[in-house]
Amino acid sequence: YYSNKLARLYLTAIEDIMGGNGVAAALRLAKLEHLIGNYPSHTLDCHFSFEDFAAVNQAIVEMYGPQGTRGLCVRAGRASLRHAVAESGLMAHLPDAAFQLLHLGARVKVGLNTLADVLSKLSDQEVKLEERAGDLVCVVETCPECWG
């Protein structure tokens, strides 16, 4: 499960992009009408199922097609991350001068490790970052996209 807070951030972010009517249509298509105008509470309780998350994303694919969905989800992901960082103070070190002096590879590694930690703590996902032959690989043991 995702935390209610993370689910709320995601739904709010896609609403910013799709508009209220667009999100309502996606929620109807996903058979999640009970969420229209009633997003999950702003708590860290993990009650938003991976199945429901996958259903929302599948509905968006059906509405916008693969190309449109990709752009929308990238924008929604960025907006969700911005909201999460602003609210939680997580990744507060990213704009620090010392952090900015690190080379790009080190900054990417710190950022991805922090993101993996956040997702692991705010959901039932098991996310970790591994290095394999000089590459960074993000491993998601419990993938919400594959769930539904």
Side-chain angles (χ1 to χ4, degrees):
Y1 286 85
Y2 274 122
S3 70
N4 290 339
K5 185 175 191 168
L6 230 47
R8 182 181 191 88
L9 286 171
Y10 182 68
L11 291 170
T12 301
I14 61 173
E15 183 177 328
D16 288 347
I17 296 161
M18 295 173 62
N21 290 335
V23 172
L27 291 171
R28 276 189 206 91
L29 192 58
K31 300 189 181 352
L32 297 170
E33 296 90 351
H34 66 280
L35 291 175
I36 298 171
N38 186 35
Y39 293 165
S41 61
H42 206 63
T43 66
L44 295 177
D45 298 331
C46 289
H47 295 299
F48 196 82
S49 75
F50 291 159
E51 184 176 10
D52 287 350
F53 185 81
V56 171
N57 287 326
Q58 182 59 41
I60 293 170
V61 170
E62 290 176 27
M63 291 170 62
Y64 291 93
Q67 284 295 97
T69 299
R70 183 184 180 285
L72 187 143
C73 287
V74 166
R75 290 173 53 201
R78 287 179 183 153
S80 297
L81 183 61
R82 266 195 313 277
H83 290 301
V85 169
E87 288 185 21
S88 67
L90 297 167
M91 298 190 194
H93 60 283
L94 298 185
D96 288 348
F99 179 78
Q100 294 299 320
L101 290 175
L102 294 173
H103 64 84
L104 179 60
R107 287 187 294 185
V108 167
K109 187 174 181 181
V110 168
L112 289 175
N113 268 316
T114 303
L115 181 60
D117 289 344
V118 168
L119 288 173
S120 292
K121 289 176 184 169
L122 297 182
S123 73
D124 291 334
Q125 282 180 274
E126 297 172 35
V127 183
K128 59 186 173 188
L129 193 66
E130 297 178 356
E131 282 192 64
R132 297 181 189 162
D135 294 326
L136 294 174
V137 178
C138 185
V139 179
V140 181
E141 296 293 333
T142 310
C143 174
E145 288 300 314
C146 302
W147 198 264

